[in-house]
């Protein structure tokens, strides 16, 4: 679960139509390769080159299967793989021109792997080889064989380029929306922080600061009159003591106001967790395990804040439909588990890899209480966040 405080710009996931196009291209390649091999075996049985054609066809199929495992990014391994595929296909076409139409799926492979200009040059070269191969197979000159391959290549290239531009425009729009949301969230946090600071400064000035100033004046007056008028000095000290008691009560009220409102009026942690929500489209379930034990206020506050932050992550990033909160009392420690059925992630989250303040803040809360925070996730199977805090043994 990524941080909730910041919303880092992440690349948009591959569009469904792009995956569909890739699947169609892969299927078409193997169908054309199989049909070309079958056609060759029917028309040229028993020729000396037949074993070579069969071996090259199998090699080309195996090389093509390795492509998806290398990804679509133009890495060195991906470029070497594309070179091997194209070379194997060219040798096949030289030995058996009937394999020329296997180039059509290779157009999409080249367009997905290479930069646009390099891909168009490669498509043009492949198309030229297809035209030459088709003219070799023809018994007489056919203008369709001269014009059809370039038309097919031009259509395939135009469709792919158009889809890539649409996908890029969509990714740019999503990035802009995420960046705008992040900026709005940061502005709201700043405004909320400033408003809270102003409120606290006014509270402190009107209560604690005034009380401390009064105490200082009374104690100074008592010090000046202690020898000459002990009764008046003692009265000043008693008055300062009363003001100090009132200031202590005000300080406790301020601390109480800073505590989570869900825990106000003596509400327990279990009731506070049971009342949490993650949004209108996510069902939140609460489970209590073990025998509940009294928890210090700071432990209850930390676990509640962790649950709220985790549910915010579930709502913003996981795509989950359900989330489960489990509060377990295990004798010497209390454990809070937050599990969701979202899409999860593959890379483990570490302190260095976590951006924003959500997860680092959770780790800091748990670390201050001597506990541990663990995150387990599997792509497609959701995420589990677990906060374990040790408890002091009961006297």
């Amino acid at each position: 679960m990524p941080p909730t405080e910041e919303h880092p710009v992440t690349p948009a996931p591959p569009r469904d139509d792009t995956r569909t196009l890739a699947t169609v291209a892969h299927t078409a390649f193997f169908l054309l390769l199989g049909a070309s091999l079958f056609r060759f075996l029917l028309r040229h049985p028993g020729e000396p080159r037949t074993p070579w054609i069969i071996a090259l066809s199998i090699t080309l199929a195996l090389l093509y299967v390795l492509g998806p495992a290398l990804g679509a990014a133009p890495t060195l391994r991906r470029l070497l793989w594309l070179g091997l595929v194209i070379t194997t296909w060219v040798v096949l076409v030289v030995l058996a021109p009937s394999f020329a139409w296997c180039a059509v799926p290779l157009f999409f492979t080249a367009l997905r792997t290479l930069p646009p200009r390099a891909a168009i040059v490669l498509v043009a070269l492949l198309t030229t080889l297809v035209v030459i191969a088709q003219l070799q197979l023809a018994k007489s000159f056919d203008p369709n064989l001269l014009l059809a391959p370039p038309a097919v290549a031009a259509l395939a290239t135009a469709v792919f380029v158009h889809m890539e531009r649409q996908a890029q425009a969509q990714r740019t729009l999503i990035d802009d929306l995420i960046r705008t949301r992040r900026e709005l969230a940061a502005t709201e946090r700043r405004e909320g922080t400033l408003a809270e600071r102003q409120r606290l400064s006014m509270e402190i000035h009107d209560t604690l600061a005034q009380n401390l100033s009064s105490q200082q004046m009374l104690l100074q007056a008592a010090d000046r009159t202690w020898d000459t008028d002990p009764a008046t000095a003692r009265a000043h000290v008693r008055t300062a003591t009363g003001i100090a008691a009132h200031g202590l009560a005000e300080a406790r009220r301020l601390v109480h106001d800073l505590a989570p409102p869900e825990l106000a009026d003596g509400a327990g942690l279990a009731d506070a967790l049971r009342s949490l929500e993650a949004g209108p489209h996510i069902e939140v379930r609460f489970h209590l395990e073990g025998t509940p034990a009294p928890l210090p206020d700071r432990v209850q506050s930390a676990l509640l804040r962790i649950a709220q932050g985790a549910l915010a992550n579930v709502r913003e990033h996981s795509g989950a439909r359900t989330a489960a909160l489990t509060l377990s009392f295990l004798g010497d420690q209390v454990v809070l588990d937050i599990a969701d059925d979202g899409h999860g992630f593959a890379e483990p989250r570490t302190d260095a890899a976590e951006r924003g303040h959500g997860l680092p803040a959770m780790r800091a809360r748990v670390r201050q209480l001597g506990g541990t925070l663990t995150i387990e996730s599997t792509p497609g199977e959701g995420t589990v966040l677990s906060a374990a805090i040790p408890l002091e043994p009961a006297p």
Side-chain angles (χ1 to χ4, degrees):
M1 285 179 286
T4 59
E5 305 295 340
E6 297 286 345
H7 300 281
V9 177
T10 55
R15 293 175 50 181
D16 291 338
D17 51 1
T18 301
R19 288 194 292 263
T20 301
L21 179 61
T23 302
V24 171
H26 297 334
T27 304
F29 175 80
F30 288 108
L31 288 176
L32 290 172
L33 182 63
S36 300
L37 179 60
F38 185 69
R39 180 180 183 276
F40 176 82
L41 294 177
L42 283 179
R43 298 195 175 188
H44 308 278
E47 288 193 6
R49 56 178 172 164
T50 298
W52 289 100
I53 298 298
I54 296 175
L56 288 172
S57 299
I58 296 175
T59 301
L60 182 59
L62 293 176
L63 286 173
Y64 195 86
V65 168
L66 294 176
L70 300 177
T75 60
L76 179 59
R77 291 196 306 172
R78 177 78 176 180
L79 296 177
L80 291 175
W81 168 82
L82 180 62
L84 289 174
V85 170
I86 297 298
T87 302
T88 306
W89 173 79
V90 169
V91 175
L92 261 177
V93 173
V94 171
L95 295 177
S98 57
F99 285 85
W101 283 108
C102 294
V104 176
L106 295 181
F107 293 164
F108 292 99
T109 302
L111 290 168
R112 293 180 62 197
T113 303
L114 300 175
R117 292 184 179 180
I120 292 175
V121 171
L122 181 58
V123 168
L125 294 176
L126 296 180
T127 304
T128 302
L129 188 57
V130 171
V131 172
I132 295 174
Q134 293 301 307
L135 292 176
Q136 287 181 353
L137 290 175
K139 296 180 179 179
S140 59
F141 178 75
D142 187 346
N144 285 333
L145 299 179
L146 185 63
L147 300 177
V152 172
L155 178 62
T157 303
V159 169
F160 185 86
V161 170
H162 176 70
M163 291 182 60
E164 280 297 304
R165 288 178 177 174
Q166 283 190 326
Q168 181 60 38
Q170 184 186 45
R171 286 192 292 268
T172 302
L173 177 61
I174 292 175
D175 291 346
D176 290 340
L177 291 176
I178 292 176
R179 188 179 300 107
T180 301
R181 183 179 63 178
R182 181 184 61 188
E183 293 173 354
L184 289 175
T187 301
E188 292 176 357
R189 282 197 305 275
R190 285 194 297 269
E191 292 178 352
T193 300
L194 291 175
E196 183 64 14
R197 286 179 178 176
Q198 183 177 7
R199 185 187 72 83
L200 288 176
S201 65
M202 294 174 61
E203 289 276 355
I204 293 173
H205 177 270
D206 294 340
T207 57
L208 300 181
Q210 295 290 352
N211 289 339
L212 290 173
S213 177
S214 299
Q215 292 175 53
Q216 183 184 26
M217 293 172 57
L218 288 169
L219 292 175
Q220 289 175 348
D223 182 63
R224 288 193 301 268
T225 61
W226 192 266
D227 295 329
T228 58
D229 191 355
T232 302
R234 290 190 183 92
H236 288 332
V237 171
R238 287 193 296 270
T239 303
T241 302
I243 293 175
H246 183 266
L248 180 60
E250 288 292 340
R252 288 173 175 170
R253 182 184 66 81
L254 288 175
V255 172
H256 182 269
D257 289 343
L258 292 176
E262 294 85 354
L263 298 174
D265 300 327
L269 177 61
D271 294 333
L273 293 175
R274 189 178 285 109
S275 65
L276 294 181
E277 298 180 353
H281 304 296
I282 302 177
E283 180 184 2
V284 180
R285 303 168 183 170
F286 174 75
H287 306 281
L288 180 63
E289 296 183 0
T291 303
L295 297 175
D297 292 343
R298 59 176 186 166
V299 173
Q300 295 190 73
S301 178
L303 291 178
L304 180 60
R305 294 306 191 199
I306 289 172
Q308 291 171 331
L311 290 179
N313 285 345
V314 172
R315 178 179 61 253
E316 293 291 336
H317 306 286
S318 71
R321 294 186 177 273
T322 60
L325 302 178
T326 304
L327 181 64
S328 304
F329 290 87
L330 305 179
D332 60 341
Q333 65 176 350
V334 59
V335 180
L336 175 64
D337 297 317
I338 303 97
D340 65 74
D341 60 353
H343 49 63
F345 51 81
E347 297 180 358
R349 289 294 195 265
T350 61
D351 287 340
E354 291 164 359
R355 293 173 288 183
H357 303 289
L359 289 176
M362 295 181 196
R363 294 191 187 278
R365 291 181 187 276
V366 174
R367 192 180 299 116
Q368 290 175 356
L369 298 173
T372 57
L373 184 75
T374 58
I375 304 174
E376 298 179 359
S377 184
T378 302
E381 297 183 10
T383 303
V384 178
L385 182 147
S386 180
I389 298 177
L391 299 178
E392 297 180 0

